[in-house]
Amino acid sequence: MNAIKIFSPATVANLVCGFDIIGLALDSPKDEIHLFKSDDPGIRINKIYGASLPDDPNKNVAFVALQFLLKKYKQKQKFYQEKKIGFEIKLIKNINPGSGIGSSAASAAGVVFGANILLGNPFNTIQLIRFAMEGERMASGAAHADNVAPAIMGGVTLVRSYNPLDITKLHTPNELWVSIIHPKIEIKTSDARNILKHKILMTDAIRQWGNIGALVAGLYQENYALISRSLEDVIVEPIRAILIPAFYELKIRCKEIGALGGGISGSGPSVFMLSKGNKTAKKVTEVMNKVYSTLKIDYNTYTSPINKKGLKWNKIF
Ligand code: HSE
């Protein structure tokens, strides 16, 4: 096989209380990536549809992540044979860059996942996540895994440790749905990280790890009431909320209509809400629309179940 088509999902990082450690994959939107292998060395970005991304390949997350993979692959190959390998990438972006639902992660995860298949699966999942994290490092200044891990593994994932990288997939309750609003304002992940405090109060830490533990328990027990109570962030959200217009109004109104809870998706500007069942999730998305229709800000909304499988692929030839 020399060419592959990959469908790479949007993701919601943090899941309110799990800053940098928890994330989930959505069914939609998703990016489409076409990857072609050749013996013409190097990586070429053939075409990008749906978004204007940097021309400089060294500023493109897909390029950077694939470069890391290729470097490691060449080191492995060196021991037995020297092969010429190159890739050509075509990106069809349906996930808006800078939206806070893992646009850069979808590109980075998609290309490394596809390249691994085209090369005969020399790398395991953790290695692929590590390569994709290098794309995130370039995009946001921090090699966080809470978007790339759910994109690759699907469902809800938890980073137990960054060093060594230890990631596990959690249980996804069947009726869990996600509503998202993407206000079209720019919030750079690097800025949204730079405003955070580096020291936190012990009382806040205790509350936060109580919530994280209970969120994980709630997912396994399919206990929606416990999930709802655990969707609380006393560390990051109080600082970042000021960046998002009508953030608290969104939260209050969505919960009134039946949302379990929610918060900032990744570093924003998107806001997400979890609901039990598709009917409630759709009502929640309508409320999001209502809240934002009174503001003079352009926006998009999405309603999606959780994508339990993560990336999908088809052979082109
Ligand atoms: N965990 C990261 C952050 C996700 O909140 O900065 C960025 O998408």
Side-chain angles (χ1 to χ4, degrees):
M1 185 170 27
N2 285 315
I4 192 171
K5 198 189 274 189
I6 304 121
F7 300 95
S8 194
T11 45
V12 172
N14 300 342
L15 240 76
V16 186
C17 51
F19 177 69
D20 272 1
I21 61 165
I22 303 186
L24 60 76
L26 298 170
D27 242 20
S28 64
K30 48 171 102 67
D31 283 351
E32 195 177 319
I33 299 161
H34 298 192
L35 196 64
F36 306 85
K37 186 180 77 168
S38 70
D39 49 14
D40 189 5
I43 301 167
R44 288 161 296 279
I45 299 182
N46 157 317
K47 192 107 188 139
I48 302 172
Y49 299 92
S52 70
L53 290 169
D55 286 339
D56 178 355
N58 288 304
K59 292 198 174 127
N60 182 291
V61 289
F63 182 93
V64 170
L66 190 49
Q67 217 175 20
F68 269 88
L69 177 144
L70 214 45
K71 199 170 142 201
K72 264 279 175 310
Y73 182 71
K74 281 182 187 155
Q75 283 168 6
K76 268 181 179 248
Q77 288 291 108
K78 205 166 70 188
F79 297 105
Y80 47 101
Q81 67 184 128
E82 196 69 58
K83 256 198 202 164
K84 285 188 178 162
I85 299 274
F87 286 103
E88 199 168 299
I89 308 169
K90 185 162 106 185
L91 289 174
I92 303 157
K93 296 292 299 174
N94 298 310
I95 311 169
N96 291 320
S99 53
I101 51 171
S103 178
S104 55
S107 299
V111 289
V112 298
F113 181 85
N116 192 46
I117 294 174
L118 293 178
L119 294 172
N121 294 303
F123 299 110
N124 64 29
T125 302
I126 283 288
Q127 288 174 308
L128 295 182
I129 291 172
R130 215 186 279 284
F131 300 137
M133 284 166 67
E134 291 303 329
E136 295 286 62
R137 189 197 304 281
M138 192 281 296
S140 71
H144 59 91
D146 48 348
N147 290 107
V148 290
I152 292 177
M153 296 169 79
V156 188
T157 58
L158 169 83
V159 182
R160 186 202 62 83
S161 148
Y162 272 92
N163 192 15
L165 194 58
D166 183 356
I167 301 179
T168 190
K169 188 168 171 177
L170 305 174
H171 177 70
T172 303
N174 268 329
E175 291 184 87
L176 206 55
W177 278 68
V178 190
S179 307
I180 304 230
I181 180 156
H182 167 213
K184 304 243 177 113
I185 54 172
E186 194 189 355
I187 299 177
K188 285 195 179 138
T189 299
S190 51
D191 293 341
R193 295 181 77 87
N194 286 339
I195 58 172
L196 300 177
K197 290 184 197 154
H198 289 271
K199 288 190 176 159
I200 58 170
L201 288 174
M202 181 63 98
T203 46
D204 287 344
I206 292 168
R207 197 161 176 109
Q208 198 86 354
W209 58 55
N211 279 322
I212 296 165
L215 176 60
V216 174
L219 292 171
Y220 276 90
Q221 293 168 11
E222 306 215 355
N223 181 339
Y224 293 91
L226 184 58
I227 293 171
S228 173
R229 294 201 298 283
S230 313
L231 293 172
E232 178 195 55
D233 174 6
V234 294
I235 295 172
V236 176
E237 181 183 287
I239 299 170
R240 286 183 171 173
I242 50 159
L243 303 173
I244 299 164
F247 176 73
Y248 288 109
E249 191 185 343
L250 274 174
K251 260 183 98 161
I252 293 166
R253 301 258 311 261
C254 291
K255 282 175 92 167
E256 274 169 5
I257 200 84
L260 300 169
I264 305 168
S265 176
S267 57
S270 286
V271 173
F272 81 100
M273 288 286 149
L274 297 183
S275 296
K276 181 181 178 189
N278 136 23
K279 271 196 192 149
T280 309
K282 284 189 177 142
K283 279 192 208 155
V284 170
T285 311
E286 273 169 34
V287 167
M288 290 174 153
N289 270 302
K290 273 193 193 139
V291 172
Y292 257 68
S293 62
T294 61
L295 306 179
K296 289 196 174 96
I297 298 172
D298 200 11
Y299 64 91
N300 276 341
T301 53
Y302 307 94
T303 312
S304 171
I306 293 174
N307 171 348
K308 293 190 185 175
K309 297 233 166 81
L311 288 155
K312 293 191 181 102
W313 64 277
N314 294 143
K315 176 177 167 174
I316 303 178
F317 58 81

